[in-house]
Amino acid sequence: MTLLKSAWRLLVGVKDALALLFLLVFFGACFALLSFSPSVGELRGGALLATLDGSLVEQAEAVDPIAVLSGQVPVIAQHETRDVVHALRTAARDNGIKAVALDLDSFLGGGQVALQDVAAAIDEVKAAKKPVLAFATAYSDDSYLLAAHATEIWLDPMGAVFIAGPGGSQPYFKGLLDRFGVNVNVFKAGQFKSAVEPFIETGASDQARQANIALSKAIWDDWQAHVRKARPKADFAAMIADPAKAADGKTLAESAVALGLVDKIADRTAFAQRVAKLVGSDTSKGVGDFNRSDLSAYIATYPVATATGNVGIVTVAGTIVDGDAPAGTAGGDTLVRHITRAATDDSIKALVVRVDSPGGSATASEHVRLALDQVRKAGKPVIVSMANVAASGGYWIAMGGDMVFAEPGTITGSIGVFAILPTFERTAGQYGITSDGVRTTPLSGQPDLLGGMTPETEAVIQKGIGDVYTRFINLVSSARKLPVARVDEIAQGRVWDGGSARQLGLVDAFGSLDDAVAEAAKRAKIDASEVARVWIEDAPSMVSALLTAPQATAPRDAVSLMAWRGQIRAATAMHTAFTIARGPAAQVRCLDCPATAYTLPSQSFFDRMFR
């Protein structure tokens, strides 16, 4: 009895302690929320220091407070392209800013369209007679595309320039699935719809390889043309062909200077001293440091977002899913709600839809397209602006616009449909598990995960996928004013670069987001001097604003950075495959499209993969 009384007192004490802890946390959170106010930071003029650690994205992923506390969060910092572009353009006009310093040491890249948008803003800074200096220990394709536009490119003595070009591998799971006896039932429409191939093949099919070669070549040619124009005297051919041979007795850093890829070899301290000579020193930050305004503080002081405007912008970023979803994922119901605001808000005269998505749910894509139709029926023009990727479901949504802009580096098309339904009758049989029962129709109890599918079930699912594909190509035919037979010929799930898409009639013109806004204003008869943009999106909660997601720091030496980027690509490919397998059965998704942001799904996923 004494033992029971002691145990009871212990339990009551633990309960009281937990209750007290909860109250302390609750009231502490309330105080933080009530006293919270965004800080714009301190601006010192001098140089705008743009430290681009992490990746460029069209829309940053929302911070989930529960996920932060549990560690299930993205581990790579994200910078919204529109913020970076706006900050650079503002700096070009700001008399207090004398130069821009680009810190690309931990920059992991972004889509080619986003990179070129930022590069164009760097050119505006230079056009304002303000120098732009870039520094990194290692330059890769993405970071070098930005650095090529700088007035001076600095490289750490232990660094290198590694230009790899697009391409790489992805995992194929057929061997693993066969080993465990899993039957992967695949239904698709479109011979190039290779999103299903990792589950049924051990390597890429001839059709997929053909399409991927053409796509990679187009993107690679666009990258080279862009960089050569920015830095015409650099000898990229030797570096690309064989970086080690090009060094010819020099270090990799010395080779980069000899080939004209960089201007100066020096460490970070010397770089800071060089900037200090241009804009003045700031001894409060350290000996030899320069007077500067940090990018985050500059963006907070001069935000791009406004509460009202006559041209609304809705962003479709990330995987398209059914229902509501936070920023960074394109939730169908969330997007419909935002688009409905554009249709019903009298102050919004036109709508621009910025698409950066490889697709996802077919039903969500159709719901969003139908919402865009309501905007047009309300007499308001709808202009689509394609960013890095607008494929499959992303392209489906684009068919709700009056006009479609893309860039040569945009990846689009992938007009096809697929479904994956695994069954485990072979796996069950290996362990002596059988199934039996009665059916009133051939579809009773179908799909049967342990007993397999009936031929009638397979036929009706394939018919359903075919129906979705037929609807897809008919929508494209109507929107693009192309014969259905022609759309079917260029569809088939094949992925196209922006240049090819324009030639094929899948998009109307090359143009940036600015061009799309100008076109929307023109059609709405808004004077160019009166155009005001408003991003229609959910504001982050105050709790989310208080929390900062833990972020990994990328290694800075060239070899480690290459290895780390490889880990990111592998983890992202695996996560995409798992997402497809557990996603909606019918999907309009492009797996051949590169990730729009170099992010990991979560710290825990990364840990399971590589720790």
Side-chain angles (χ1 to χ4, degrees), residues 67-68 84 121 208 228 244 322 398 403 415 494 522 533 571 583 599 603:
V68 171
V84 178
R228 291 182 193 279
D322 295 303
M403 185 176 183
I415 303 168
R494 181 160 182 172
K522 176 182 176 183
R533 308 181 188 193
T599 60
Q603 179 67 60

Side-chain angles (χ1 to χ4, degrees), residues 564-579:
W564 205 63
R565 288 172 65 96
Q567 290 181 351
I568 290 175
R569 287 192 296 269
T572 302
M574 294 288 287
H575 186 263
T576 300
F578 294 157
T579 301

Side-chain angles (χ1 to χ4, degrees), residues 336 339-344 351 367-382 400:
V336 168
I339 293 167
T340 300
R341 174 187 162 186
T344 57
L351 179 65
H367 290 163
V368 175
R369 188 196 67 82
L370 289 173
L372 294 177
D373 275 350
Q374 295 305 310
V375 178
R376 296 165 70 187
K377 289 177 181 178
K380 302 180 181 183
V382 176

Side-chain angles (χ1 to χ4, degrees), residues 473-535:
I473 62 174
N474 282 331
L475 287 172
V476 176
S477 172
S478 175
R480 305 305 308 159
K481 304 297 188 291
L482 293 170
V484 172
R486 175 56 178 161
V487 174
D488 187 36
E489 179 184 349
I490 61 180
Q492 297 296 322
R494 181 160 182 172
V495 184
W496 302 98
D497 63 280
S500 298
R502 184 181 180 186
Q503 293 176 356
L504 294 168
L506 295 176
V507 302
D508 293 297
F510 291 148
S512 63
L513 177 61
D514 291 341
D515 296 317
V517 170
E519 180 66 26
K522 176 182 176 183
R523 293 187 179 218
K525 296 181 172 55
I526 303 171
D527 187 88
S529 62
E530 298 177 353
V531 174
R533 308 181 188 193
V534 55
W535 268 264

